[in-house]
Amino acid sequence: KQLQDEIEALKASTKEEVEELRIKYISKKGLVGQLFADFKTVPAEQKKAVGQAINVLKNKALDKINELKDSFDNADQGDAATDLSMPGEPMRLGTRHPLAIVRNEIIEIFGRLGFTVAEGPEIEDDWHVFSALNFPPEHPARDMQDTFFIQKDPDVLLRTHTSSVQARVMEKTQPPIRAIFPGRVFRNEAISARAHCIFHQIEGLYVDENVSFADLKQTLLYFSRELFGEKTQIRLRPSYFPFTEPSAEMDVSCSICGGKGCNVCKYTGWLEILGCGMVDPNVLDLCGIDSKKYTGFAFGMGIERITMLKYGIKDIRHFFENDVRFLRQFESAY
Ligand code: PHE
């Protein structure tokens, strides 16, 4: 009876274990086989009953072992309804974020002109974001309105532009410098379809002997035609930044309507995409570069804005919501 319960409860997790169980119970020297050997010693009048019981036990053991064996054989073959020649479930790949696609494209275009890539910290100090860039102490851009300060300390802040990396690179490197600086920037602004408190910029800096405004203009023309198409025109309008002199803002002819006028360019034919200028000699000196020997140009552009213009995206918030229905539309863009 005890042996019968034991056999009923048998379990195995591999084919090899089933084989071990077969040997243990029903081989000649196994536990059940042994009973047959002992059968000789059973008194004659009990032989019939005991013989039947042993046979029942032996059949139970055989059934159990075969059942265990079958369960593994079936698992090997799959059930009859499964067609093993069917192709697998397709695995959906992720897609690159549109901002990353455009950033990489910009890096690649400037790479062809010999610009390398550098990065700086997002958490900055006043010196690299403002003072070294010739911001006067009372300049409105330092105002609490625009800048996120950390821990109420006016010297720990989130950078409001990637121009801070200009200062860091110039402090560490003597000319020739030719590099771009992609990264996240932060401004304390109300979030809307056109503005966000977190966005991305790419900064460019070229410092060497005899760098001129003509070099800046040609570099930006080449860049604009590579990014928006060879028919693209550019237009520089005078502007002001504390760290460049002279300064300009650059427009490109609208790539959506070809300059004819549409709702993307507000029927002007032009789109503003970046700020630029000749590095102010004060900035060179503040960062340890001899302004009598060297000149340079710098520019800075917003990646969101350029991506919106390039792909006709109407709301900047799409970039930060990670809705796959939006993101999957860029599946084939790189
Ligand atoms: N840092 C400026 C901005 O965020 C852009 C800029 C960069 C302008 C370099 C001139 C030179 O608006």
Side-chain angles (χ1 to χ4, degrees):
K1 170 79 173 116
Q2 196 193 334
L3 197 52
Q4 187 172 326
D5 289 345
E6 198 178 311
I7 287 168
E8 224 119 79
L10 288 182
K11 281 196 180 72
S13 49
T14 64
K15 261 180 156 174
E16 289 68 32
E17 274 180 47
V18 178
E19 176 62 7
E20 277 167 27
L21 291 175
R22 191 191 66 77
I23 293 165
K24 182 172 172 196
Y25 288 95
I26 53 180
S27 65
K28 278 228 165 67
K29 292 192 174 140
L31 291 173
V32 180
Q34 206 54 51
L35 291 177
F36 285 103
D38 295 344
F39 187 63
K40 294 188 208 98
T41 63
V42 172
E45 65 276 17
Q46 290 179 25
K47 271 208 154 88
K48 192 178 175 199
V50 173
Q52 275 174 352
I54 297 176
N55 267 320
V56 167
L57 191 59
K58 184 190 125 189
N59 287 333
K60 278 232 160 83
L62 266 174
D63 286 350
K64 185 72 192 179
I65 300 282
N66 282 335
E67 181 192 309
L68 288 173
K69 224 187 201 160
D70 282 350
S71 72
F72 287 108
D73 287 343
N74 285 342
D76 275 359
Q77 289 162 6
D79 63 63
T82 308
D83 178 357
L84 294 178
S85 68
M86 293 256 286
E89 289 278 323
M91 239 210 270
R92 215 145 179 180
L93 294 179
T95 58
R96 220 181 274 291
H97 194 282
L99 294 177
I101 295 172
V102 171
R103 179 202 58 205
N104 291 349
E105 200 175 341
I106 295 171
I107 289 173
E108 211 207 299
I109 292 168
F110 282 104
R112 297 203 280 273
L113 294 174
F115 284 76
T116 55
V117 178
E119 283 182 77
E122 295 177 347
I123 300 172
E124 264 292 5
D125 48 34
D126 179 279
W127 173 257
H128 293 99
V129 177
F130 299 128
S131 298
L133 296 174
N134 204 33
F135 279 78
E138 74 289 356
H139 196 279
R142 295 170 178 238
D143 210 309
M144 300 291 267
Q145 294 287 80
D146 295 314
T147 309
F148 284 117
F149 292 91
I150 295 178
Q151 298 166 346
K152 296 199 181 86
D153 182 342
D155 204 30
V156 186
L157 50 94
L158 297 177
R159 65 181 177 193
T160 55
H161 54 183
T162 43
S163 302
S164 55
V165 192
Q166 281 191 45
R168 287 189 175 270
V169 168
M170 286 191 281
E171 282 172 343
K172 278 227 189 89
T173 330
Q174 283 301 306
I177 297 169
R178 188 161 46 183
I180 53 172
F181 320 126
R184 273 203 300 197
V185 300
F186 309 83
R187 287 184 197 177
N188 195 353
E189 276 180 35
I191 295 169
S192 71
R194 316 190 83 235
H196 210 284
C197 57
I198 302 178
F199 57 102
H200 299 75
Q201 288 187 330
I202 293 193
E203 190 87 5
L205 178 68
Y206 180 27
V207 186
D208 203 347
E209 290 177 37
N210 301 316
V211 175
S212 72
F213 200 92
D215 297 326
L216 169 62
K217 201 174 158 188
Q218 185 59 36
T219 301
L220 294 178
L221 178 63
Y222 172 80
F223 160 71
S224 303
R225 292 190 168 165
E226 289 295 297
L227 190 67
F228 290 108
E230 57 185 351
K231 296 207 169 69
T232 306
Q233 303 288 319
I234 63 166
R235 172 170 93 169
L236 291 162
R237 285 176 289 103
S239 184
Y240 172 77
F241 300 102
F243 37 95
T244 48
E245 182 59 36
S247 303
E249 277 165 324
M250 189 185 85
D251 302 337
V252 292
S253 55
C254 180
S255 57
I256 304 288
C257 62
K260 287 186 197 68
C262 65
N263 60 355
V264 174
C265 58
K266 304 257 159 58
Y267 301 96
T268 63
W270 295 99
L271 302 162
E272 184 199 320
I273 64 160
L274 57 81
C276 61
M278 299 306 291
V279 181
D280 193 302
N282 278 343
V283 174
L284 293 175
D285 290 329
L286 285 166
C287 296
I289 288 175
D290 183 357
S291 65
K292 292 198 184 63
K293 188 167 175 205
Y294 296 108
T295 53
F297 67 67
F299 54 84
M301 62 187 100
I303 305 180
E304 278 78 1
R305 198 176 148 68
I306 289 177
T307 308
M308 289 166 82
L309 299 175
K310 206 170 140 87
Y311 292 112
I313 298 162
K314 298 249 158 54
D315 193 319
I316 196 172
R317 290 170 289 199
H318 285 307
F319 294 124
F320 306 100
E321 278 162 7
N322 286 326
D323 185 332
V324 289
R325 292 169 302 176
F326 171 71
L327 297 175
R328 285 215 177 106
Q329 294 178 49
F330 300 89
E331 224 155 15
S332 58
Y334 54 92

